[in-house]
Amino acid sequence: EVDLEERLRELDLRSDSDVPDVPPPTDSTPEILKRALSGLSARWKNWWIRGILTLAMISVFFLIIYLGSFMLMLLVLSIQVKCYHEIITIGYRVYHSYDLPWFRSLSWYFLLCVNYFFYGETVADYFATFVQRREQLQFLIRYHRFISFALYLTGFCMFVLSLVKKHYRLQFYMFAWTHVTLLITVTQSHLVIQNLFEGMIWFLVPISSVICNDITAYIFGFFFGRTPLIKLSPKKTWEGFIGGFFSTVVFGFIFSYFLAQHQYFVCPVEYNSETNRFVTECEPSELFQMKKYSVPPLLQTVLGWETVNMYPFQMHSIALSTFASLIGPFGGFFASGFKRAFKIKDFADTIPGHGGIMDRFDCQYLMATFVHVYITSFIRGPNPSKLLKQLLILQPEQQLSVYKTLKSHLVEKGILQPSLRG
């Protein structure tokens, strides 16, 4: 009995009320905005601050789109690191009084390990011809997964060695905290980049749909909101939720129409090893070629049209927008529950009126997974370009064997003449 009591003391069991509060973030609103809006009520002051900063962020986003795919990848990486930092910092602030050894160092070490693994996989998939020309990279790619595992194993052993009596439970809490944070941030950002390689439109439409839903749901809720939606987020209303849904579907449909007209947005992003640049040039697939559709009889009487011309991708945009507006917000509700658990209003105070970067991208991570699953399930087919890159890595004997097998197959199909044998 005494032994059991000692063990319970060592585990340092605590209730939620015993968990230290996270210090509230400071107000980072620029002084010029504070002075300009000093005469307004707190509600309208927050409206204007959010509005101005939203327009500024959208402008920067458009500039990065103009700069190209590589800058978008750097943006995704930067957001990933910042989101990871915000979540890990909350854990550190909650448990800093226990002085857990190596916690922050190991957290950042694991981030480097996981990024090394995922970005190495991306290099192997999309930069095969570039890697083939450099012997050092060939070694790293060939043993990439073994190296990644060895790096992670090193961190794992360091964690075990850092365990301190009386803090075991808290240390395992933080170990789990780090790994869940990695799952939320790094894995999802990797999927965002995978979506980008399928074509910039698969990156822009989902992200813009979430942003549009965020903005329109806020506007509808601000002006018409009366009915609370969910207890986790008291300011969310049914009026905002429904208004955001219809606005997002319409926006996604129209936005897709304009993007589908340009190769820059619809072609897969590929790396040209000769020019050392990312290129977006191709013959657009059927998804991005205008087609004629029959209007359902019920709508014919309303619209007065029997047929309508549109891009097939616009139909897919409805599915993407629907997910962004109906399921995507649950990422925000999840984040709200997380913040309530630790008695904080925002993840950080990086963006005045908005909170931290994670506060703005909590819905994007769910969206990234959905888009990746959607592409692999309903869109993606065999990729000749990717297959060719893999063939070029093979040894000459293996390439010759593939050539003979393919030639024999084409002759059997009647595509090549039997006279070409030999």
Side-chain angles (χ1 to χ4, degrees):
E1 212 175 294
V2 175
D3 186 46
L4 177 61
E5 289 179 4
E6 288 178 358
R7 286 187 178 184
L8 289 175
R9 277 198 296 271
E10 285 184 0
L11 287 173
D12 193 23
L13 298 176
R14 293 168 176 262
S15 66
D16 284 348
S17 60
D18 294 326
V19 175
D21 291 343
V22 178
T26 57
D27 184 6
S28 59
T29 307
E31 286 298 326
I32 188 170
L33 272 180
K34 286 183 180 179
R35 289 196 297 269
L37 304 173
S38 58
L40 299 176
S41 65
R43 185 168 181 259
W44 278 101
K45 186 184 296 184
N46 186 58
W47 160 268
W48 279 105
I49 291 173
R50 285 177 69 101
I52 292 169
L53 269 296
T54 297
L55 291 175
M57 287 188 290
I58 291 173
S59 301
V60 172
F61 184 53
F62 278 125
L63 174 62
I64 294 174
I65 293 171
Y66 173 76
L67 294 175
S69 308
F70 183 69
M71 293 304 296
L72 282 172
M73 292 177 201
L74 288 181
L75 174 66
V76 172
L77 178 61
S78 302
I79 290 171
Q80 173 223 111
V81 172
K82 182 57 180 170
C83 288
Y84 183 82
H85 171 257
E86 290 177 358
I87 299 175
I88 287 297
T89 299
I90 291 173
Y92 177 73
R93 286 178 176 175
V94 168
Y95 297 116
H96 75 284
S97 59
Y98 297 98
D99 194 26
L100 302 182
W102 299 359
F103 166 61
R104 286 207 293 187
S105 300
L106 282 175
S107 296
W108 287 104
Y109 177 79
F110 282 125
L111 176 67
L112 290 174
C113 288
V114 177
N115 268 312
Y116 175 80
F117 171 73
F118 279 121
Y119 281 92
E121 293 287 303
T122 300
V123 169
D125 282 345
Y126 295 98
F127 301 84
T129 52
F130 175 79
V131 170
Q132 190 182 15
R133 297 178 180 180
R134 289 162 174 78
E135 291 185 9
Q136 301 90 339
L137 289 179
Q138 285 182 33
F139 174 82
L140 291 175
I141 293 299
R142 184 176 181 181
Y143 300 104
H144 171 67
R145 295 191 177 184
F146 181 81
I147 295 171
S148 299
F149 177 70
L151 290 172
Y152 177 82
L153 203 58
T154 302
F156 179 82
C157 293
M158 290 170 65
F159 167 74
V160 173
L161 292 174
S162 73
L163 291 173
V164 176
K165 190 177 181 181
K166 295 186 179 181
H167 293 324
Y168 291 151
R169 187 166 181 260
L170 289 175
Q171 285 183 284
F172 278 102
Y173 271 158
M174 300 317 298
F175 185 76
W177 184 300
T178 298
H179 282 67
V180 171
T181 306
L182 290 170
L183 177 66
I184 293 172
T185 57
V186 184
T187 307
Q188 304 304 315
S189 64
H190 172 69
L191 295 180
V192 171
I193 292 177
Q194 293 288 306
N195 298 338
L196 177 59
F197 275 107
E198 295 295 327
M200 208 179 289
I201 196 168
W202 291 104
F203 173 85
L204 294 177
V205 170
I207 284 182
S208 300
S209 295
V210 172
I211 294 172
C212 174
N213 186 69
D214 246 4
I215 294 171
T216 54
Y218 177 75
I219 292 173
F220 276 94
F222 186 87
F223 288 105
F224 310 108
R226 296 291 182 274
T227 315
L229 175 63
I230 187 170
K231 290 182 179 179
L232 277 174
S233 195
K235 293 184 179 180
K236 298 289 193 301
T237 63
W238 275 105
E239 291 81 3
F241 187 73
I242 295 169
F245 165 67
F246 286 107
S247 302
T248 304
V249 171
V250 172
F251 166 81
F253 193 81
I254 296 172
F255 189 48
S256 299
Y257 173 78
F258 288 107
L259 293 184
Q261 300 177 42
H262 305 282
Q263 279 192 13
Y264 182 72
F265 296 115
V266 304
C267 290
V269 177
E270 295 183 347
Y271 179 77
N272 189 321
S273 57
E274 294 179 359
T275 60
N276 287 328
R277 294 179 62 186
F278 289 101
V279 294
T280 49
E281 298 174 358
C282 68
E283 182 66 32
S285 68
E286 292 184 358
L287 274 179
F288 308 107
Q289 295 178 15
M290 190 73 74
K291 291 186 177 180
K292 184 177 289 187
Y293 291 90
S294 297
V295 177
L298 184 63
L299 292 178
Q300 286 183 16
T301 56
V302 179
L303 301 174
W305 303 333
E306 293 185 0
T307 61
V308 62
N309 291 325
M310 56 185 287
Y311 295 100
F313 180 81
Q314 289 179 271
M315 302 299 292
H316 294 290
S317 76
I318 296 175
L320 299 178
S321 300
T322 300
F323 185 90
S325 52
L326 296 185
I327 307 299
F330 280 84
F333 302 151
F334 176 85
S336 295
F338 179 89
K339 288 183 284 188
R340 280 177 169 272
F342 293 96
K343 304 172 187 176
I344 56 176
K345 182 176 182 290
D346 298 310
F347 283 96
D349 57 356
T350 310
I351 313 169
H354 291 269
I357 298 295
M358 190 64 198
D359 290 287
R360 291 277 55 83
F361 290 90
D362 46 14
C363 300
Q364 296 287 3
Y365 289 116
L366 271 182
M367 193 70 199
T369 306
F370 172 73
V371 174
H372 185 74
V373 171
Y374 190 88
I375 291 173
T376 54
S377 300
F378 304 111
I379 305 298
R380 183 186 293 159
N383 188 333
S385 176
K386 191 172 180 179
L387 181 61
L388 181 60
K389 289 177 182 177
Q390 292 174 335
L391 287 174
L392 292 174
I393 300 174
L394 299 177
Q395 296 297 321
E397 300 80 15
Q398 295 172 315
Q399 292 174 344
L400 188 59
S401 175
V402 172
Y403 166 72
K404 289 179 178 178
T405 303
L406 180 60
K407 182 179 177 181
S408 175
H409 175 74
L410 293 175
V411 169
E412 289 176 7
K413 290 284 187 181
I415 299 173
L416 288 180
Q417 295 299 321
S419 59
L420 295 177
R421 291 175 181 264

